[in-house]
Amino acid sequence: MEHATLTDREARLGADTLRMLAVDGVEQANSGHPGLPMGAADYAFPLWHNRLRFNPADPAWPDRDRFILSAGHGSMLLYGLLHLFGYDLPLTELERFRQWGSRTPGHPEYGVTPGVEVTTGPLGQGFANGVGMALATRMAADRFNDDLFSPIAHRVYALVSDGDLMEGISQEAASLAGHLKLGNLIYIYDDNRITIEGSTDLAFSEDVAGRFTACGWHVQKIDGHDFARIDAALAAAQEEEERPSLIIARTHIAQGSPGKHDSSSAHGSPLGAEEVAATRHNLNWPAEPFHVPTEVRDICARRRETLEEEYGRWQDGFRKWRRRNPERARLWDGMWRQKQPADLVQRLLAAVGDADGATRALSGKVIQAAAAAFPALVGGSADLEPSTNSWIKGSQGIAAGTYDGRNIHFGVREHAMAAMMNGMARYGCFIPFGATFLVFSDYCRPAIRLAALMEQQTIYLFTHDSLFVGEDGPTHQPVEQLSALRLIPNLAVFRPADGVETALAWTAALRRSTGPSALILTRQKLPSLAREPAFTPDMVLRGGYVLEAGGKQPDVILLASGSEVSLAVTAAASLREQQIAVRVVSVPSLETFQNQPASYLRKIIPPRVPRVAVEAGRGELWWRLLGVRGLFIGVENFGASAPAEVLAEKYGLTPSQVAERVIQHLRTRRKLFIA
């Protein structure tokens, strides 16, 4: 597409409109960040007008350019752009900035505001999201483009700030982007040299250009207020196809404000009525708040008309492409719509059969069946594939220039891996998974939280799930991580006990399109479990079910997850030898189980029956099921370096120790009842 042009006067008028919309929105809310939008407006308006490809009438158009405001605190800049260029964001919504129920929250949120690609705010996350999107773009292009038409021909743009580049996640993501030669990635670094505390010189003096050049990026430096330099830099970035681009735009925070220019106070506070008036005077701007000149509306309307024409040409080319490529068209539909086979449960269960094994290894078998059922499934690990069993067999790894594989080498970059997965999920077309050890889920947590907030389908494989990791010691033995993950709203956490539960945990994750899932998997081998004749797969999907009934009215109920289910089964057998009727309940997803209807919970856990939970981790979240007179057997301190069997003995997690603790608990309860 031949790019559009603006005269300097038109560019200035559009930029000043963005500036003052940001000023007025923040002032009316008495809250927000006016400084960045005011400084960035001079390059943001030409970028959107001259270079960006989109269609406000079809915000989900697959071949649109993606624009990410990684510096999410500058949200009024994005809201102004979306409004001016015709998205469903009326001026009244800008007037309700940061208010209850508005479509203009303090930081951009996907699903709230039309045209917002990802939820940003925590700095650095948007940077890494964009790398994930750019990788997904290249992967999709290699699958679908032919010699006559390219249904995937777009780029990924982002506005990043000093804070984004200070966060370590940006270095991880930038390194991988350069390594993979993602030349479809164009970032503008708003180099305004101001943070909340003052000048960036207080804590940031590195050679940013040198850093990104060393990572394999194409780097340019410009005056971010010079319209000719801005457009020339964007043109050069678009021509560069082998390297991601960073345009370092030297700007001035609160540009146009006589008293707040280059001031840290403009970063996160309203200008104040007096300074707003001074800014209007300085820009020769009308006193009317939220003023949009008719000329600016006309400029943007003409641009939309041109974009709509291109959109029509793409649709025509796409229709011809579909007729010419029926197999690719079917693949397109299957991946973008993420169609699911009706016999998914049967396929995944068949992959594991009744085999014993570590659930990480059993998960590796399920992945092969899942990949066959879902062409959209792609993923990798943080340099731990041999340990996490996360390779899709029969497919190659992603490498620079070769993007049609399904296996991603993320390297030792857990922060970037999880955030890139969010970008890939938001891109569409792919269901991404990422694997590492459970103890390193702490590195992934900010991105997991955002996936849950955005309701994105990402799948995390966390292996080496307890102190039974053994000799690696407490640095690698998760104790609190399982509970920490369960606390994240809208994250489905599964800790399967054998192959059947592993297959069904994958089933739940693949079916769950409204949020992320985490599969918590063992390093050590586990036995295949025997189940009641009435067992059906949907019981696992409800989060908890009766594994061994123990009669109609058991004396005690043992609840457990993961590797401790087989421990509970063995302990239960010992208790039955002492004439104690024991029901064993497997709870692969604690929060899913707790959210079942009360009638189901009463059926599985009858009232007034003593309850004991066993899990090799912290137990606070079990008490909702246990009640005040329940017992939790777990690990409330850090582990130690020793063989797994030694740790089991030292931490009271052998069958005989569990059985003895249950007997003592029942005796204590009887004494309390008699008293």
Side-chain angles (χ1 to χ4, degrees):
M1 179 185 72
E2 191 169 324
H3 82 279
T5 57
L6 286 167
T7 66
D8 279 5
R9 179 185 168 281
E10 290 172 331
R12 173 67 59 203
L13 188 61
D16 284 347
T17 303
L18 288 176
R19 281 191 185 91
M20 293 311 301
L21 286 174
V23 167
D24 290 337
V26 172
E27 199 68 24
Q28 181 146 307
N30 196 29
S31 172
H33 302 72
L36 183 144
M38 296 178 73
D42 284 330
Y43 60 76
F45 190 79
L47 166 64
W48 274 61
H49 183 278
N50 293 356
R51 301 285 173 176
L52 216 62
R53 298 166 63 250
F54 55 91
N55 182 5
D58 185 4
W61 175 33
D63 200 34
R64 70 191 183 280
D65 288 333
R66 272 65 168 176
F67 177 80
I68 298 170
L69 184 69
S70 189
H73 55 278
S75 56
M76 272 301 298
L77 175 72
L78 180 54
Y79 299 149
L81 288 163
L82 292 169
H83 170 70
L84 293 179
F85 283 97
Y87 285 82
D88 184 18
L89 192 66
L91 196 60
T92 52
E93 290 296 330
L94 275 66
E95 295 170 352
R96 299 176 62 226
F97 179 52
R98 289 183 164 227
Q99 303 309 301
W100 176 268
S102 77
R103 282 185 273 169
T104 49
H107 293 79
E109 295 182 34
Y110 166 72
V112 173
T113 315
V116 169
E117 297 286 0
V118 292
T119 297
T120 55
L123 292 172
Q125 291 289 325
F127 187 111
N129 294 162
V131 176
M133 283 189 174
L135 176 57
T137 302
R138 283 286 169 89
M139 293 169 66
D142 273 14
R143 284 159 170 77
F144 299 120
N145 293 354
D146 66 17
D147 293 336
L148 298 178
F149 180 71
S150 296
I152 304 294
H154 49 269
R155 297 179 177 87
V156 178
Y157 296 83
L159 189 164
V160 304
S161 64
D162 296 300
D164 287 295
L165 299 192
M166 290 186 204
E167 294 285 0
I169 189 174
S170 68
Q171 178 60 32
E172 290 187 14
S175 174
L176 189 53
H179 174 74
L180 292 174
K181 299 185 183 302
L182 299 179
N184 57 336
L185 190 67
I186 300 174
Y187 283 2
I188 302 177
Y189 164 34
D190 189 68
D191 182 20
N192 65 37
R193 304 183 188 179
I194 295 293
T195 60
I196 291 174
E197 293 184 355
S199 170
T200 53
D201 290 344
L202 293 169
F204 188 63
S205 55
E206 68 186 46
D207 177 3
V208 171
R211 166 185 162 190
F212 277 81
T213 299
C215 285
W217 286 55
H218 172 239
V219 179
Q220 304 174 77
K221 290 185 176 182
I222 64 169
D223 176 349
H225 303 298
D226 183 327
F227 298 121
R229 293 288 306 279
I230 291 164
D231 202 56
L234 289 169
Q238 289 181 338
E239 291 169 4
E240 173 59 57
E241 296 183 354
E242 292 297 316
R243 294 174 293 171
S245 286
L246 182 73
I247 300 171
I248 302 176
R250 175 69 177 106
T251 62
H252 298 276
I253 198 168
Q255 175 79 350
S257 169
K260 298 286 187 175
H261 181 88
D262 282 343
S263 168
S264 61
S265 63
H267 174 88
S269 300
L271 299 184
E274 184 176 334
E275 187 60 27
V276 170
T279 302
R280 291 187 190 283
H281 182 267
N282 186 48
L283 298 178
N284 192 28
W285 204 254
E288 172 197 354
F290 298 98
H291 172 71
V292 178
T294 300
E295 184 178 353
V296 171
R297 294 208 180 276
D298 291 342
I299 290 169
C300 295
R302 288 194 297 272
R303 178 58 178 156
R304 286 199 306 276
E305 290 175 1
T306 302
L307 290 169
E308 287 167 3
E309 291 173 0
E310 174 161 2
Y311 175 80
R313 289 193 294 272
W314 183 90
Q315 293 288 357
D316 182 61
F318 186 62
R319 284 189 289 270
K320 295 176 181 176
W321 173 87
R322 291 185 68 93
R323 290 195 294 269
R324 194 168 60 247
N325 297 285
E327 289 188 12
R328 287 188 185 182
R330 282 192 291 272
L331 181 64
W332 174 285
D333 293 340
M335 291 181 67
W336 285 98
R337 299 174 188 173
Q338 296 180 359
K339 295 180 179 178
Q340 301 186 15
D343 61 345
L344 179 63
V345 170
Q346 291 76 14
R347 291 194 195 191
L348 301 192
L349 285 173
V352 293
D354 58 357
D356 296 345
T359 51
R360 62 168 175 164
L362 296 165
S363 170
K365 293 181 179 181
V366 177
I367 285 174
Q368 311 316 314
F374 287 83
L377 186 67
V378 299
S381 75
D383 194 50
L384 289 170
E385 185 280 320
S387 294
T388 57
N389 299 99
S390 50
W391 190 266
I392 296 176
K393 297 175 182 178
S395 183
Q396 62 186 345
I398 300 295
T402 307
Y403 307 102
D404 59 351
R406 300 176 70 175
N407 298 290
I408 304 168
H409 296 284
F410 287 105
V412 189
R413 301 184 181 96
E414 290 92 350
H415 300 84
M417 176 180 73
M420 286 176 62
M421 288 166 59
N422 287 349
M424 297 182 75
R426 270 297 305 120
Y427 178 80
C429 192
F430 298 102
I431 301 173
F433 68 84
T436 187
F437 295 168
L438 178 57
V439 77
F440 302 137
S441 64
D442 292 337
Y443 291 165
C444 304
R445 186 179 176 87
I448 297 173
R449 184 176 187 273
L450 287 173
L453 180 60
M454 290 189 285
E455 301 183 348
Q456 293 304 294
Q457 186 176 21
T458 52
I459 301 172
Y460 311 95
L461 307 180
F462 294 129
T463 69
H464 296 59
D465 71 335
S466 69
L467 58 81
F468 296 124
V469 169
E471 293 87 345
D472 279 348
T475 61
H476 282 55
Q477 293 167 356
V479 175
E480 76 280 13
Q481 280 76 13
L482 181 56
S483 289
L485 290 171
R486 286 169 172 162
L487 285 170
I488 299 176
N490 196 37
L491 172 66
V493 180
F494 297 89
R495 188 171 183 244
D498 69 350
V500 169
E501 289 191 5
T502 301
L504 292 169
W506 263 105
T507 300
L510 290 167
R511 286 178 172 175
R512 190 168 194 263
S513 61
T514 57
S517 303
L519 277 60
I520 315 300
L521 307 169
T522 67
R523 177 194 187 188
Q524 72 275 23
K525 292 182 179 179
L526 301 178
S528 179
L529 299 170
R531 292 175 169 81
E532 294 287 320
F535 171 79
T536 57
D538 68 287
M539 294 177 178
V540 175
L541 300 178
R542 299 188 76 164
Y545 65 100
V546 174
L547 184 70
E548 295 181 347
K552 291 184 177 180
Q553 188 63 30
D555 298 317
V556 65
I557 299 171
L558 293 185
L559 303 103
S561 77
S563 55
E564 288 71 71
V565 175
S566 57
L567 169 61
V569 167
T570 306
S574 175
L575 290 167
R576 291 186 191 112
E577 291 176 357
Q578 302 182 56
Q579 306 306 308
I580 299 173
V582 183
R583 172 173 292 186
V584 178
V585 175
S586 179
V587 188
S589 182
L590 179 59
E591 64 278 24
T592 302
F593 184 49
Q594 290 176 335
N595 289 328
Q596 294 300 310
S599 58
Y600 182 76
L601 292 173
R602 285 194 300 269
K603 178 181 176 182
I604 305 301
I605 309 174
R608 295 182 294 279
V609 179
R611 305 163 189 185
V612 178
V614 187
E615 188 171 74
R618 302 206 67 184
E620 282 80 356
L621 299 180
W622 283 94
W623 290 102
R624 182 175 162 191
L625 293 178
L626 295 175
V628 294
R629 293 187 178 180
L631 171 66
F632 177 76
I633 302 172
V635 180
E636 299 293 353
N637 259 310
F638 294 114
S641 179
E645 59 272 16
V646 174
L647 293 171
E649 181 74 30
K650 296 296 184 182
Y651 284 84
L653 291 171
T654 66
S656 61
Q657 289 171 318
V658 169
E660 182 57 32
R661 288 285 304 277
V662 171
I663 291 170
Q664 292 175 3
H665 179 64
L666 293 177
R667 287 173 179 166
T668 301
R669 280 180 56 90
R670 290 192 185 103
K671 289 178 182 178
L672 289 171
F673 181 76
I674 293 171

